[in-house]
Amino acid sequence: QVQLVESGGGLVQAGGSLRLSCVVSVNFKIVSMGWYRQAQGKQREMVATITSGSNTEYADSVKGRFTISRDTAKNTVYLQMNSLKPEDTAVYYCGVDQGKGAQVTTHWGQGTQVTVSS
């Protein structure tokens, strides 16, 4: 069973920075890793993803402020968040797509709260 453990959330003032980490219990057949967030009363949305080939994708709302990276040796994916805004407040989830071809499964972490005060 794949387990994801997130850390690094917290309370920060607008303009501040946080770095989220997600340790994944497996490192085989990983298609992509990513960060998603869900604000209160809203649907979960993609924030940033990184593929096994290190291709990255960002939501327009975080481009230029957030950076996703991964450390393959540590089975860890990071999200560096700079210039945080109150609208970044949400529960942030780590998600990992594992598998091959048509048999890809998405695994989720438990989420970590990020609160940005104005």
Side-chain angles (χ1 to χ4, degrees):
Q1 183 176 356
V2 179
Q3 293 183 330
L4 292 74
V5 179
E6 300 129 330
S7 61
L11 173 64
V12 64
Q13 288 187 334
S17 298
L18 284 174
R19 188 175 83 153
L20 305 182
S21 301
C22 174
V23 180
V24 185
S25 63
V26 297
N27 63 356
F28 59 91
K29 294 184 179 179
I30 299 297
V31 177
S32 67
M33 308 171 80
W35 289 95
Y36 302 77
R37 67 187 180 187
Q38 187 167 15
Q40 193 169 6
K42 296 186 178 181
Q43 290 187 333
R44 188 175 298 188
E45 62 176 358
M46 185 275 289
V47 176
T49 61
I50 183 166
T51 67
S52 58
S54 297
N55 294 314
T56 59
E57 183 179 356
Y58 296 91
D60 288 343
S61 59
V62 306
K63 284 181 180 177
R65 300 188 298 122
F66 291 10
T67 302
I68 189 170
S69 61
R70 60 186 294 181
D71 185 330
T72 303
K74 295 182 178 180
N75 295 347
T76 303
V77 60
Y78 304 97
L79 183 69
Q80 178 66 43
M81 305 185 293
N82 298 328
S83 302
L84 282 161
K85 304 175 180 180
E87 49 264 45
D88 294 318
T89 295
V91 178
Y92 283 70
Y93 297 90
C94 176
V96 172
D97 290 336
Q98 183 195 33
K100 185 177 182 180
Q103 296 183 342
V104 174
T105 301
T106 301
H107 304 278
W108 296 101
Q110 80 285 355
T112 185
Q113 177 70 46
V114 171
T115 302
V116 184
S117 63
S118 58

